[in-house]
Amino acid sequence: MTDARWVLGVDIGGTNLSVGLVPREGGPPAGRVVRPTDASRGGEAVTDTVIEMLRQVMAEVGVDPARHVAGIGIGCPGPLDRATGLVLTTPNLGWKNFPVRDLIAGPLGLPAVLDNDANCATYGEWWMGAGRGVQTLVGLTVGTGVGGGIVLGGKVLHGASDAAGEIGHMTINYGGRRCKCGNYGCLEAYASGPNIAARAVEGIEAGEESSLPGLVDGDLDQITAETVFEAVLAGDAFASAVLLETARYLGVGLANLINLVNPEVVVIAGGVTRAGDALLDPLRAEVRRRAFLPAVSACRIVAAQLGADAGVIGAAGIFVDHLDAPAEGLDPGLARP
């Protein structure tokens, strides 16, 4: 390949698809295209849309894929099988044993790697964001679901079957709320965007006084986590209580992880960070209350720096890491055309 200085990054989320061209040495995407995911149309319709978006961004930047693009990094909710490029199952998209990597890479004739979307966002923050320069980092992404990733010694922790870092599915309440994964009491069942909204609606239906119904013209189905954050900023006491409870749930999960991994940095990403210190301050307090002091003292809990670009940058970075590894390290996960 001549002058292959670009890598395509793909971030497949439960709400949005995002793609961009990332310099091989790292940096912000030279171009970025975002569209709704619309998983109801089926997996192949989604991958067709991703291919269309990738072609669009290359055309807009003026990049020839045959000469200038080294390959594609793809982030997608899991669990995954990186070696075969399969999404084994993903509750928020409804896919099972779906060959997402090859359906995207094949038509473009480029090599590709697949990794968990939260791993990609975490790696992006380690590579080019809030975790630059550290060796040990935990990422927590709160959006449609609750995802996570762990970087140890500059490498993403994948585990024996690519299932490491599923932070959202740790049990924090025995016998608690039902999660989409089928378990009860998962962190995601309390702290994901949809479940923040669901807990707010449950409180209103139980008689809590709040300005939230007025923000959605009385249609409680229209309440989202963003609506809750808006009400918090307006001084709504009930919305503030929902946010405080969310911070405490997240703090419980992070205290467990900090005791287990002893990271230098925890990066919080996703829509929940719009709440700012109203979320982060009580979250940090809950972690201090629950985790071992030496682990807490060595750890900074910070908001992500890369915003919506983290997944795209991180997916590209993971591809670069594959290319820069010794030959025997190229697989699993590198599909060649």
Side-chain angles (χ1 to χ4, degrees), residues 47 80 332:
T47 55
L80 313 170

Side-chain angles (χ1 to χ4, degrees), residues 2-337:
T2 305
D3 191 28
R5 64 174 298 260
W6 298 102
V7 176
L8 288 162
V10 176
D11 183 13
I12 298 173
T15 303
N16 289 317
L17 307 171
S18 181
V19 310
L21 271 166
V22 178
R24 184 164 169 169
E25 67 275 13
R32 189 161 164 267
V33 177
V34 180
R35 295 188 192 175
T37 301
D38 195 5
S40 64
R41 296 186 303 138
E44 291 194 20
V46 172
T47 55
D48 286 346
T49 300
V50 169
I51 292 166
E52 182 183 330
M53 293 165 67
L54 291 171
R55 288 178 170 146
Q56 177 185 339
V57 77
M58 286 188 288
E60 288 178 355
V61 178
V63 166
D64 177 358
R67 296 182 64 246
H68 304 138
V69 179
I72 312 169
I74 302 166
C76 186
L80 313 170
D81 183 332
R82 292 181 303 127
T84 59
L86 292 176
V87 175
L88 300 178
T89 180
T90 176
N92 291 319
L93 292 173
W95 298 350
K96 289 186 182 296
N97 298 319
F98 183 67
V100 64
R101 183 193 66 193
D102 293 349
L103 286 174
I104 292 172
L108 294 171
L110 290 168
V113 296
L114 173 68
D115 212 317
N116 180 277
D117 60 337
N119 283 345
C120 291
T122 299
Y123 192 87
E125 290 290 341
W126 172 82
W127 190 35
M128 289 285 144
R132 275 182 102 160
V134 306
Q135 287 295 302
T136 306
L137 177 145
V138 169
L140 182 69
T141 301
V142 183
T144 307
V146 174
I150 300 169
V151 174
L152 298 177
K155 299 289 184 182
V156 173
L157 178 66
H158 289 106
S161 59
D162 294 333
E166 288 288 350
I167 293 170
H169 298 290
M170 70 167 71
T171 301
I172 61 165
N173 183 3
Y174 175 80
R177 298 173 69 90
R178 180 73 181 265
C179 182
K180 281 187 177 181
C181 74
N183 190 22
Y184 291 86
C186 291
L187 178 60
E188 181 171 302
Y190 293 88
S192 71
N195 282 300
I196 292 170
R199 288 190 292 107
V201 170
E202 288 165 7
I204 292 166
E205 289 178 339
E208 294 285 352
E209 293 291 330
S210 174
S211 63
L212 282 165
L215 296 177
V216 292
D217 296 325
D219 184 358
L220 299 186
D221 289 339
Q222 298 304 309
I223 291 176
T224 64
E226 287 71 22
T227 317
V228 175
F229 303 154
E230 182 183 345
V232 170
L233 293 175
D236 186 287
F238 171 67
S240 296
V242 171
L243 183 64
L244 176 60
E245 187 179 47
T246 302
R248 287 176 171 165
Y249 285 130
L250 291 170
V252 169
L254 284 179
N256 291 332
L257 283 166
I258 288 168
N259 282 343
L260 181 67
V261 179
N262 194 192
E264 297 160 80
V265 175
V266 171
V267 178
I268 312 293
V272 74
T273 58
R274 293 173 197 159
D277 288 341
L279 175 91
L280 290 177
D281 285 347
L283 185 157
R284 293 179 183 120
E286 193 69 24
V287 169
R288 286 193 300 270
R289 206 166 68 82
R290 292 178 178 272
F292 283 127
L293 181 60
V296 174
S297 299
C299 181
R300 293 182 292 117
I301 301 174
V302 299
Q305 290 181 354
L306 299 181
D309 288 339
V312 167
I313 292 172
I318 287 175
F319 180 88
V320 171
D321 186 58
H322 275 261
L323 286 185
D324 291 344
E328 65 269 21
L330 286 176
D331 289 311
L334 188 68
R336 297 189 181 279

